[in-house]
Amino acid sequence: MSGTDGRSGAGSGGTDAGGSGRDGGDSARTARGSGDSARTARGGGDAAAAPPAVTTPRGRRPVVAALMLGMALAAIDGTIVSTAVPQIVGDLGGLTVFSWLFSGYLLAVTVTLPLYGKLSDTFGRKPVLVAGIILFLVGSVLCAAAWNMAALIAFRIVQGLGGGALQGTVQTIAADLYPLKERPRIQAKLSTVWATSAVAGPVVGGLLAGYADWRWIFLINLPVGAVALWLVVRHLHEPSRPRPATRPRVDWAGALAVFATGSLLLTALVQGGVAWPWLSAPSLGLLGASAVLAALTVVIERRAAEPIIPGWVWRRRTIASVNLALGAMGLLMVAPTVFLPTYAQSVLGLGPIAAGFVLSVMTLSWPVSAALSDRVYNRIGFRRTAMIGMSAALLILLAFPLLPYPGEPWHPALLMLLLGAALGLFQLPLIVGVQSTVGWAERGTTTASVLFCRQVGQSIGAALFGAVANGVLAARLLDAPVDGLPGDLDAVTRALEDPGAFSAAATDHVRRAVDAAVDYVYIGAAGAAALALLALITLAPRRFPIITEPTEAAGTAGAPGRQDAAS
């Protein structure tokens, strides 16, 4: 990847070596307000030090509303289709390929994140966000008009192409709008929107499919997206930047290589063990091809003048450690989001709505913990705060296999409430911290790399823990009191929904097998938490080298030598 790090002028002090906070003479040391070092980016017309687009609270409100609506679109569309699948399949057919309604959307969002991050740094946030909203709405209209399953899957991919722009650019603009000490509030709002949308998606989808028509699932995006688009066009005003000496060049070859590599890898991870066995020719072929393309991508990016994934993303210790830590968090999140509903229905015997509630309590504590996290990292620093949060998450995940069988619904609900609080204390300090170590011209790329790693972690986790759960389940069912039991978790879950499918003894045996399978998944999730801790301990600097934007520095002019970073 490129040998240049993209910084110029102020704040270009090279890598984060040691996290000492020294700027090599290119930026002014101001204070240690959050337990992390702070650097003031000098103006001088440098794009890296561009001020936030909107600086007054009144001027920010409509933009924040637009960001929350955009985040809601991206979040809810990942889950709203799930409960409408029977109606969609009954209308369009395609039972054997309907899983691509989710996989295609996920693939498009994930592989386009790096491209949109680079484009927002090169051409500005507003055009990328506007294009993303328009593309998402076009995809929604096409999905509503789909005439068969193949067309619907293709149009879901179009939606995902817009969703990638929404996810990355919304987070980047949020960091642009607010100085460091105010970012926890906007990030907590976005976390609340994401959590609420993710939980509400299946409910809304089921209601629309049951009482209206499944096509309304996509049509309701239009008024929401139209309002968000109008607010962005009308109220988001980016600062004027100096005209570059040379015309910006887009690394289209690198973008295509990243897209192809990510598509093949994620297809192998999502479909492996589901559509075909892991050691089959399709899995091995996709994994081998993705490895070859990954090597080709590295070669292309090293030669590119403006690479989509610059080398500095991985050379700077702060960014690299946060990428790895949040990738591990994406891995562990598969346990509660994918396997806990199965546990609640198959082991505890709850209905879909009650099972969803067991999971949703996590979304209650997560935003609250995130909103209050600045009171912790302002005292002890970003790294230590995140380590405390992930250490707590590790203990909570290890406690899950200790729950009694069959247990009460409040047992896992309490653990999920605690897990949400722990992860809120982990994720937000890292996102706020890493965004604060780069200037304006690098923030989009940095934010996209963090989100990309988290998405890839989720895909790897779904594949890895799916294989673990099915392996444990198959081993436990070998000595079942009846023959002919299904060997994978999905099939067993569907069979348990029929009270007369098994005898009482067989039903208890199958439930215990599912309980054991989910226990092993949570143990694996605890291993992922340990990996996140290891990344922070070994790679992350003790103090994040914070760059203070000019507007933030001006706010501390009356108190030289002290800055309340993230207070």
Side-chain angles (χ1 to χ4, degrees), residues 259-311:
F259 188 90
T261 303
S263 297
L264 291 182
L265 176 61
L266 292 178
T267 300
L269 294 175
V270 169
Q271 296 298 306
V274 179
W276 48 70
W278 278 109
L279 296 180
S280 64
S283 281
L284 296 178
L286 286 171
L287 291 173
S290 62
V292 172
L293 283 177
L296 179 62
T297 301
V298 172
V299 174
I300 293 174
E301 294 295 84
R302 281 182 172 176
R303 296 179 178 179
E306 294 290 339
I308 295 297
I309 304 180

Side-chain angles (χ1 to χ4, degrees), residues 141-540:
V141 173
L142 293 174
C143 286
W147 53 90
N148 58 34
M149 185 62 73
L152 182 57
I153 291 172
F155 298 149
R156 282 281 286 172
I157 293 175
V158 175
Q159 260 194 322
L161 296 177
L166 289 173
Q167 282 197 30
T169 313
V170 163
Q171 294 277 8
T172 305
I173 294 175
D176 290 342
L177 289 176
Y178 287 84
L180 175 58
K181 65 181 181 180
E182 297 181 34
R183 282 176 195 158
R185 286 185 290 175
I186 180 61
Q187 290 290 352
K189 289 179 181 178
L190 294 177
S191 297
T192 302
V193 171
W194 185 273
T196 304
S197 300
V199 173
V203 177
V204 174
L207 290 174
L208 290 174
Y211 295 99
D213 186 271
W214 63 264
R215 297 179 190 273
W216 281 101
I217 289 174
F218 304 104
L219 292 176
I220 62 170
N221 292 331
L222 300 183
V224 177
V227 173
L229 184 62
W230 181 82
L231 290 173
V232 170
V233 172
R234 177 69 177 82
H235 295 283
L236 179 58
H237 304 291
E238 294 192 276
S240 59
R241 294 179 291 150
R243 186 180 298 274
T246 59
R247 183 179 180 181
R249 288 181 292 177
V250 179
D251 178 24
W252 293 114
L256 181 61
V258 170
F259 188 90
T261 303
S263 297
L264 291 182
L265 176 61
L266 292 178
T267 300
L269 294 175
V270 169
Q271 296 298 306
V274 179
W276 48 70
W278 278 109
L279 296 180
S280 64
S283 281
L284 296 178
L286 286 171
L287 291 173
S290 62
V292 172
L293 283 177
L296 179 62
T297 301
V298 172
V299 174
I300 293 174
E301 294 295 84
R302 281 182 172 176
R303 296 179 178 179
E306 294 290 339
I308 295 297
I309 304 180
W312 53 260
V313 168
W314 294 104
R315 285 198 302 273
R316 297 180 192 171
R317 289 178 55 189
T318 305
I319 302 175
S321 62
V322 171
N323 283 344
L324 293 175
L326 286 179
M329 192 199 80
L331 194 72
L332 73 85
M333 281 299 297
V334 172
T337 58
V338 176
F339 291 93
L340 183 62
T342 298
Y343 171 88
Q345 294 182 69
S346 299
V347 178
L348 302 181
L350 302 178
I353 296 178
F357 176 77
V358 172
L359 173 61
S360 68
V361 295
M362 184 172 67
T363 67
L364 301 177
S365 57
W366 190 317
V368 175
S369 174
L372 298 177
S373 65
D374 65 316
R375 301 187 181 186
V376 182
Y377 68 67
N378 182 54
R379 294 179 178 271
I380 65 176
F382 296 115
R383 174 176 176 265
R384 290 180 180 176
T385 303
M387 289 173 60
I388 291 173
M390 188 50 73
S391 298
L394 172 60
L395 296 177
I396 294 165
L397 291 167
L398 288 175
F400 188 91
L402 303 179
L403 293 178
Y405 173 87
E408 299 292 333
W410 68 266
H411 293 157
L414 176 61
L415 289 184
M416 292 307 101
L417 189 70
L418 297 174
L419 183 62
L423 294 179
L425 200 62
F426 168 79
Q427 178 178 260
L428 188 135
L430 291 184
I431 292 179
V432 171
V434 77
Q435 287 179 330
S436 303
T437 64
V438 295
W440 187 96
E442 296 174 344
R443 191 171 291 144
T445 299
T446 300
T447 303
S449 72
V450 169
L451 299 179
F452 175 77
C453 289
R454 190 179 65 184
Q455 291 282 95
V456 171
Q458 289 178 334
S459 298
I460 294 174
L464 176 63
F465 293 147
V468 169
N470 287 330
V472 172
L473 187 69
R476 294 300 177 98
L477 292 181
L478 284 177
D479 58 346
V482 295
D483 297 327
L485 294 176
D488 67 271
L489 198 60
D490 290 338
V492 166
T493 302
R494 289 193 298 269
L496 286 173
E497 293 177 355
D498 181 6
F502 310 117
S503 64
T507 298
D508 182 70
H509 186 87
V510 171
R511 291 188 188 279
R512 288 182 181 275
V514 173
D515 179 61
V518 177
D519 284 347
Y520 274 92
V521 168
Y522 269 82
I523 293 173
L531 291 177
L533 277 175
L534 184 64
L536 294 178
I537 292 171
T538 59
L539 293 178

